[in-house]
Amino acid sequence: KMSFAVFSYEGLVHAVSGAMGSVTAMTVFFPLDSARLRLQVDENRRAKSTPAILAEIIKEEGLSAMYRGWFPVICSLCCSNFVYFYCFHSLKAGWLKGKQSTASTDLVVGFAAGVINVLLTTPLWVVNTRLKLQGSKFRNAHIRPTNYSGILDSFAQIVRGEGVGALWNGTLPSLLLVLNPAIQFMIYEGLKRQMRRGLLRELSSVEVFIIGAVAKAVSTIATYPLQTVQSILRFGQFSESAVESKLRSSLRTIKCLLVNRVRTYGMLGLFKGLEAKLLQTVLTAALMFLLYENIASCTFRVMGLSSKQHKRH
């Protein structure tokens, strides 16, 4: 029965719906993510309001800089969300076997799905971080320029110059960061259950958008310092004085990067770029959940399945 739940057509519908929703939402709000990543990685760039950062980048590098690295990000996001949604809903279906879910179940299943997702898709995120920042005008003079011609060339150059292990740079903070989607899904599913209680109708688009935004805002603020460390490690050009290269994937590396940032910029340095991240990630997640719910619901209707099967999740 468990194998049937893990390899079900229903799980595939959730995975495709989640992937399509996330790709569309990320495309709409992509410039906000560009601003966030630039603030996290370029330590000498002064934190300003998100519109000011976007205007600065457009002035220095042109309008196309806002969508630099869009294709590899979309590829990574599509794969990542497909894996996450498939694992989350399939593992949950296998565990619950038709029973009502709880917040603790959502958290545990979300964590397990996140670990599988990180181990499978980290190389894609390492490559897309490099491609997204290639050609950027940095304030930090120590950042070395790169010359990747595309996704496959990035893989080849990283493996040749830094070793296969470099493709999993930032895996440890990424594994710790599986708490982010786990918390997000726990809050989202919990709020959805609360709002549906006593209702004889589906949640409206506005309601889905709001609970998606709230869930992502809470999970982002709780884990943002680790997201900054993750971006620095994936970029692969952190200062040698801040951390020894042989300790890149250890807890000591994360501690050194966090401590160094606090010493240099104070506690607020851990949250540099948070405004842009919140704007991008909250709006993207809200739109993604809205699209996901509608695509999944529509697909189940077309397949002739009762909405009750979709609601159970």
Side-chain angles (χ1 to χ4, degrees):
K1 287 183 180 178
M2 179 66 173
S3 61
F4 175 76
V6 171
F7 299 104
S8 68
Y9 192 71
E10 193 177 341
L12 188 63
V13 171
H14 284 294
V16 172
S17 302
M20 287 172 64
S22 62
V23 164
T24 307
M26 174 56 94
T27 300
V28 173
F29 299 113
F30 194 81
L32 296 173
D33 195 54
S34 297
R36 179 272 309 174
L37 187 59
R38 202 70 65 87
L39 284 166
Q40 283 182 325
V41 170
D42 191 357
E43 293 185 347
N44 293 346
R45 184 180 286 275
R46 201 156 57 86
K48 301 176 182 175
S49 68
T50 304
I53 292 293
L54 291 174
E56 204 173 64
I57 295 169
I58 291 170
K59 184 180 176 183
E60 292 175 0
E61 303 170 37
L63 196 58
S64 62
M66 290 293 88
Y67 277 87
R68 182 185 292 127
W70 172 83
F71 184 70
V73 168
I74 290 304
C75 288
S76 303
L77 192 68
C78 187
C79 294
S80 184
N81 275 285
F82 182 91
V83 170
Y84 191 89
F85 273 83
Y86 192 91
C87 291
F88 181 83
H89 287 284
S90 297
L91 291 173
K92 191 170 162 182
W95 188 347
L96 293 174
K97 294 184 173 66
K99 291 180 291 193
Q100 180 69 29
S101 183
T102 63
S104 58
T105 302
D106 291 332
L107 187 64
V108 172
V109 172
F111 193 86
V115 170
I116 296 167
N117 181 34
V118 164
L119 295 175
L120 290 176
T121 64
T122 289
L124 284 169
W125 288 110
V126 168
V127 164
N128 93 54
T129 299
R130 307 278 184 102
L131 287 170
K132 196 169 177 182
L133 290 167
Q134 182 169 271
S136 302
K137 294 187 186 301
F138 294 108
R139 301 290 190 272
N140 189 343
H142 297 295
I143 292 177
R144 302 182 303 277
T146 54
N147 185 29
Y148 305 123
S149 61
I151 296 174
L152 293 178
D153 184 54
S154 301
F155 275 116
Q157 283 198 45
I158 292 169
V159 170
R160 198 164 51 240
E162 303 170 49
V164 176
L167 291 173
W168 275 269
N169 274 357
T171 297
L172 190 58
S174 295
L175 285 172
L176 295 174
L177 277 168
V178 298
L179 282 169
N180 183 306
I183 292 169
Q184 175 189 345
F185 268 71
M186 179 185 73
I187 294 171
Y188 177 77
E189 294 287 330
L191 287 174
K192 200 162 74 168
R193 279 192 295 273
Q194 287 297 319
M195 292 181 76
R196 274 181 174 163
R197 194 164 290 169
L199 283 181
L200 298 175
R201 59 170 177 83
E202 289 283 340
L203 292 180
S204 70
S205 295
V206 173
E207 287 167 333
V208 171
F209 190 90
I210 290 171
I211 62 175
V214 170
K216 192 60 180 179
V218 174
S219 63
T220 297
I221 293 168
T223 59
Y224 189 75
L226 276 173
Q227 291 182 48
T228 298
V229 169
Q230 180 192 54
S231 294
I232 293 168
L233 287 171
R234 282 175 174 171
F235 190 37
Q237 298 204 33
F238 48 87
S239 167
E240 291 295 327
S241 62
V243 58
E244 298 170 38
S245 58
K246 65 180 179 180
L247 298 173
R248 286 183 187 180
S249 298
S250 70
L251 280 168
R252 191 171 157 196
T253 303
I254 298 171
K255 180 187 168 188
C256 286
L257 283 168
L258 289 172
V259 169
N260 184 65
R261 207 164 180 93
V262 170
R263 280 179 184 160
T264 309
Y265 305 104
M267 285 300 292
L268 288 178
L270 294 175
F271 294 91
K272 188 181 177 192
L274 178 60
E275 182 200 350
K277 178 66 178 176
L278 272 177
L279 264 177
Q280 176 264 322
T281 202
V282 169
L283 291 173
T284 300
L287 182 56
M288 182 268 289
F289 275 121
L290 173 60
L291 293 169
Y292 154 69
E293 292 286 356
N294 281 289
I295 293 169
S297 184
C298 231
T299 307
F300 283 126
R301 276 200 300 274
V302 169
M303 287 164 59
L305 296 175
S306 66
S307 61
K308 191 163 68 176
Q309 275 189 276
H310 177 51
K311 278 183 183 179
R312 200 169 59 223
H313 295 273

